[in-house]
Amino acid sequence: MVLTRSSKKAPKPQTPPVKNLSKAQTPPLSKAEKPQTLTSKKGAKSQKKPPLKKQKKDVVVEEEEVSDVESEEIDESDDGEKGSNGFFSDDDGEELLGDDFLEGSGDEEEVLSSDSDSDSDEDDIQKESEAIDRAKAKEEEDADAELLDFNKEAGPEEHETFRLPTQEELEEEARGPPDLPLLQSRIKEIVRALSNFNVLRPKGASRKECVEQLKTDLASYYGYNSFLIGALFELFPPVELMEIIEAFEKQRPTSIRTNTLKTRRRDLADVLLNRGVNLDPLSKWSKVGLVVYDSQVPIGATPEYLAGYYMLQGASSFLPVMALAPKENERIVDVAAAPGGKTTYVAALMKNTGLIFANEMKVPRLKSLTANLHRMGVTNTIVCNYDGRELPKVLGERSVDRVLLDAPCSGTGVISKDESVKTSKSLEDIKRFAHLQKQLLLAAIDLVDATSKTGGYIVYSTCSLMVAENEAVIDYALKKRNVQLVKTGLDFGQDGYRRFREHRFHPSLKQTKRFYPHVHNMDGFFVAKLKKMSNMKQASEDDDEAVETVEQADVSSDDDEEAEAMEEMEKLSVPSKQPKENKERLAKSKEKKKGKKDGKSKSINVERKPKKKRSDWKKEIAQAREEKRRAMRENSKGKQ
């Protein structure tokens, strides 16, 4: 039986090479010849496997060759049946088992081949994953090595030689003009040392000395005053401080906002591209913004600009309006509206429905506000000229649905636009702005109706980086009014501070957002969104009196003679209370001894009478301001 099978199947290995004439014929023949000399099972396996595999590979052949292959498969099936019958017999079990194993049906071998293919795929995936892991490990090693090289770029010997300048050397530098290359190299060395002070510490220098020298060098190299450099140093570590200072030295990209009342962003972009303006969509978070890289025509004097198709507006100015999220048919107040970028954006989102009160305190800025409103086609806005702190009295408390307060601030986030901020701001300015912002925010909260079906929100924003003008103001409002912080709806930006140095703020301040020029490529900005929970005030009468006395001090900035006179009278009365209270205590102790209680009670009653007349001086101040406004209007009309 064995001889007949081998004779039948001897030509079988020769058929696959006939199919693949283009391929090399020698390897299959050599493989077929070698197993004939072997008598073991392994030799038999090597004899049969190559033809089976080649039959699978060479499926598409000519018709004549297919017929030959079918005849051979019939022979194999006949042999397989014989082998299967012999498998259950007891004669020559081992040989018949080997023959039957080799001559099994094609389906079994297809399953085996598919299993081998799946195993090979799994092996390939495993190898690829191992290669990815090795690549990641190598990247981490390279990053660590690069960081080490950055810290020791000049070599350990040169770092050891670096030292802070002595007092004599500083005096010599102060006598002449600033040596900018020397300052720049020293700034880099100190920043590198502070990034890893334990390793790169200069000889004989403490961390405090390095920090003070860095502040001095930064102030002289970039033109800052000592206060602002110190304030920025409290906000950022040395490496990030250098990044934001360098970002302030560069202009932010020019951005424009599409006026959806008149056009669409795609149509506007096509028109401006035809005029030679190189632009792109601003970002994924804005559906109306475009960033302008360069332009062959003045971007603020195109026919589209004059027709009100777009507004020149910084990217950071989009954020407060997006956080406000105005709805149609609402009553909204913009406390500080000029020049009108945010107001027109609100009107576009409302589709010219509802009512907007655009307030601006400074009369010269009203012209730009009204001009932009007309140019952009806004028809649902009323322009008014009031102090933002008086709006609850003018419009009425609980009279609107939403309020946008882009408060006046120190401008420490827009130094790239106004470099005078580097030297003009001081601690007193920050305190003055913070106090004004607290008053404006309380007034804005009083304007909102907590029972509004769609609103009840207040958005507070500044272009300042100072914590005293941002988180501290919001924390003050949380204590004085029944409001809560809610999410701004902005998906990017850094969370506000919950703690800063010795200050501890409300935990919900993490829902506020901060934006930095070196991180987000826009002006420094702060945005917070408040929800008014009830119309009840949490502030006590003493706190209100304190706020009112400060309001008197702020009224003096309007050059109103009568207001100044009233303010001086009140100032004189406030410090006189302390000695009077001391005298009253002494009088009480004496009267207890001498029994003179009647005189004491009369003096107390006399002193308490002025407190009941606070409304009088408020009315007088309001009247004085109205008279002044009328006089200014009459003078302007007379000049015209």
Side-chain angles (χ1 to χ4, degrees):
M1 294 296 292
V2 175
L3 294 174
T4 57
R5 288 175 185 172
S6 62
S7 62
K8 287 181 181 180
K9 294 175 183 178
K12 186 177 180 179
Q14 297 176 1
T15 56
V18 173
K19 299 176 188 178
N20 295 330
L21 294 175
S22 61
K23 295 184 181 179
Q25 297 179 357
T26 55
L29 290 173
S30 62
K31 290 181 181 178
E33 292 173 355
K34 288 181 181 178
Q36 293 177 359
T37 61
L38 299 175
T39 58
S40 62
K41 296 179 181 179
K42 294 181 179 179
K45 290 181 181 178
S46 64
Q47 181 181 1
K48 298 294 181 179
K49 283 185 179 179
L52 291 174
K53 290 182 180 178
K54 291 192 175 183
Q55 285 178 8
K56 292 181 182 179
K57 293 181 181 178
D58 302 325
V59 176
V60 181
V61 293
E62 297 178 359
E63 294 179 354
E64 295 177 357
E65 294 175 354
V66 171
S67 62
D68 296 335
V69 174
E70 289 177 353
S71 63
E72 291 175 1
E73 288 179 352
I74 292 170
D75 295 337
E76 288 179 1
S77 64
D78 295 335
D79 295 336
E81 290 176 359
K82 294 177 182 178
S84 63
N85 294 328
F87 178 75
F88 292 100
S89 65
D90 295 334
D91 297 336
D92 297 332
E94 292 181 357
E95 292 182 358
L96 293 174
L97 179 62
D99 293 337
D100 185 66
F101 179 76
L102 291 173
E103 296 172 1
S105 63
D107 297 336
E108 293 179 356
E109 295 192 359
E110 286 179 1
V111 172
L112 292 173
S113 63
S114 63
D115 293 338
S116 63
D117 293 339
S118 62
D119 294 338
S120 62
D121 293 339
E122 292 178 357
D123 294 339
D124 294 339
I125 293 172
Q126 185 176 1
K127 290 179 181 178
E128 290 178 358
S129 64
E130 291 176 356
I132 293 172
D133 293 338
R134 287 194 298 270
K136 287 184 178 180
K138 187 176 180 181
E139 288 179 0
E140 292 178 357
E141 293 177 359
D142 295 341
D144 295 338
E146 186 178 356
L147 180 62
L148 184 62
D149 293 339
F150 173 76
N151 290 333
K152 297 184 178 181
E153 183 179 0
E157 295 180 357
E158 295 187 9
H159 277 293
E160 290 177 359
T161 58
F162 171 71
R163 59 177 179 80
L164 294 179
T166 61
Q167 188 66 28
E168 296 177 354
E169 293 175 350
L170 292 176
E171 291 177 356
E172 291 180 0
E173 290 180 7
R175 293 171 187 169
D179 189 355
L180 297 182
L182 176 62
L183 289 175
Q184 187 177 13
S185 62
R186 191 160 63 199
I187 288 171
K188 290 182 179 179
E189 291 291 342
I190 296 176
V191 170
R192 185 183 291 110
L194 291 175
S195 64
N196 192 0
F197 194 71
N198 293 330
V199 178
L200 305 175
R201 177 177 181 175
K203 285 186 177 180
S206 63
R207 186 179 184 87
K208 184 178 180 181
E209 293 175 349
C210 292
V211 169
E212 293 299 328
Q213 186 61 44
L214 179 61
K215 290 180 181 179
T216 304
D217 292 343
L218 288 174
S220 58
Y221 187 82
Y222 291 99
Y224 287 82
N225 59 14
S226 58
F227 163 73
L228 192 54
I229 281 292
L232 293 175
F233 207 94
E234 292 177 354
L235 288 169
F236 305 102
V239 176
E240 191 174 3
L241 175 64
M242 291 300 303
E243 293 177 0
I244 192 170
I245 288 178
E246 289 292 342
F248 281 144
E249 298 300 313
K250 302 175 183 178
Q251 294 292 328
R252 303 276 74 77
T254 303
S255 58
I256 60 177
R257 178 182 57 80
T258 307
N259 183 14
T260 56
L261 294 175
K262 294 187 175 184
T263 185
R264 296 183 301 175
R265 182 171 70 171
R266 181 172 54 188
D267 299 337
L268 176 63
D270 293 339
V271 173
L272 292 179
L273 286 172
N274 293 331
R275 294 192 180 277
V277 180
N278 185 13
L279 50 80
D280 276 328
L282 180 60
S283 184
K284 294 181 180 180
W285 52 265
S286 176
K287 297 180 180 180
V288 295
L290 292 169
V291 58
V292 178
Y293 300 111
D294 56 72
S295 176
Q296 298 179 3
V297 295
I299 197 65
T302 62
E304 289 75 24
Y305 175 82
L306 298 176
Y309 285 1
Y310 64 90
M311 180 85 174
L312 281 169
Q313 191 171 1
S316 57
S317 298
F318 291 33
L319 306 176
V321 181
M322 294 173 62
L324 185 66
K327 307 296 182 183
E328 296 182 17
N329 299 312
E330 285 187 337
R331 291 167 60 91
I332 296 178
V333 174
D334 189 355
V335 179
K342 300 180 183 64
T343 306
T344 54
Y345 193 6
V346 172
L349 293 177
M350 296 174 65
K351 299 180 181 179
N352 260 342
T353 62
L355 183 61
I356 302 174
F357 294 98
N359 180 70
E360 177 55 43
M361 180 179 175
K362 297 181 180 179
V363 176
R365 304 189 69 184
L366 291 173
K367 294 181 180 179
S368 61
L369 174 60
T370 54
N372 284 322
L373 290 174
H374 287 299
R375 183 175 62 85
M376 302 292 281
V378 176
T379 58
N380 65 340
T381 301
I382 298 174
V383 179
C384 51
N385 173 225
Y386 289 100
D387 188 345
R389 295 166 291 187
E390 297 179 358
L391 286 178
K393 302 174 185 177
V394 177
L395 302 178
E397 295 184 359
R398 305 182 296 276
S399 59
V400 299
D401 298 309
R402 299 172 193 253
V403 174
L404 174 61
L405 174 58
D406 186 21
C409 61
S410 59
T412 52
V414 291
I415 295 177
S416 58
K417 292 181 180 178
D418 185 9
E419 292 189 355
S420 64
V421 177
K422 293 180 178 180
T423 56
S424 62
K425 303 304 176 184
S426 62
L427 180 60
E428 290 73 17
D429 295 328
I430 303 300
K431 290 181 178 179
R432 180 170 55 84
F433 279 115
H435 187 72
L436 176 62
Q437 290 157 358
K438 291 176 182 178
Q439 292 179 328
L440 289 172
L441 183 55
L442 293 182
I445 294 171
D446 293 339
L447 280 170
V448 174
D449 184 10
T451 60
S452 174
K453 295 181 180 179
T454 60
Y457 295 99
I458 304 99
V459 170
Y460 173 83
S461 63
T462 65
C463 55
S464 173
L465 302 179
M466 300 294 106
V467 176
E469 299 181 70
N470 297 327
E471 285 86 355
V473 175
I474 298 296
D475 188 68
Y476 176 83
L478 293 175
K479 295 176 181 177
K480 299 301 179 185
R481 295 291 186 271
N482 192 1
V483 293
Q484 290 182 1
L485 278 169
V486 295
K487 292 183 179 180
T488 59
L490 304 173
D491 298 333
F492 64 105
Q494 298 184 6
D495 295 339
Y497 291 104
R498 287 179 290 177
R499 57 178 63 189
F500 178 74
R501 298 177 68 83
E502 71 274 10
H503 303 288
R504 298 294 180 268
F505 302 122
H506 196 275
S508 62
L509 276 164
K510 66 180 180 181
Q511 295 184 352
T512 61
K513 292 294 182 181
R514 280 177 163 265
F515 303 91
Y516 298 117
H518 66 291
V519 178
H520 307 100
N521 197 20
M522 61 176 65
D523 294 328
F525 226 74
F526 175 83
V527 180
K529 188 174 184 179
L530 296 165
K531 169 68 175 175
K532 190 172 183 180
M533 307 308 295
S534 70
N535 294 322
M536 299 298 293
K537 297 181 181 179
Q538 294 181 354
S540 61
E541 293 182 358
D542 295 337
D543 295 332
D544 291 338
E545 290 178 4
V547 172
E548 287 171 357
T549 54
V550 177
E551 288 178 356
Q552 300 169 25
D554 287 311
V555 170
S556 62
S557 62
D558 295 329
D559 297 330
D560 193 341
E561 295 179 356
E562 295 183 14
E564 288 177 358
M566 294 300 299
E567 178 194 358
E568 291 176 359
M569 293 297 293
E570 292 296 328
K571 285 183 178 179
L572 292 174
S573 64
V574 171
S576 64
K577 291 181 181 179
Q578 293 180 353
K580 286 183 179 181
E581 290 177 356
N582 296 331
K583 291 179 180 179
E584 288 173 6
R585 292 175 184 174
L586 295 174
K588 287 180 182 179
S589 61
K590 290 180 181 180
E591 287 170 356
K592 286 180 182 179
K593 295 178 181 179
K594 298 181 180 179
K596 296 181 180 180
K597 295 181 181 179
D598 298 334
K600 179 196 70 171
S601 60
K602 290 180 181 179
S603 62
I604 293 173
N605 292 331
V606 171
E607 292 173 359
R608 285 182 180 175
K609 286 181 181 179
K611 290 184 180 180
K612 297 179 181 179
K613 296 182 180 180
R614 284 179 294 173
S615 59
D616 297 337
W617 56 260
K618 284 185 180 180
K619 292 179 180 178
E620 293 178 359
I621 291 174
Q623 291 176 359
R625 297 194 63 173
E626 288 295 334
E627 291 177 359
K628 182 182 177 181
R629 286 176 187 155
R630 291 173 184 172
M632 292 175 64
R633 289 170 184 169
E634 291 177 358
N635 292 331
S636 61
K637 289 180 180 179
K639 291 179 181 180
Q640 292 177 357

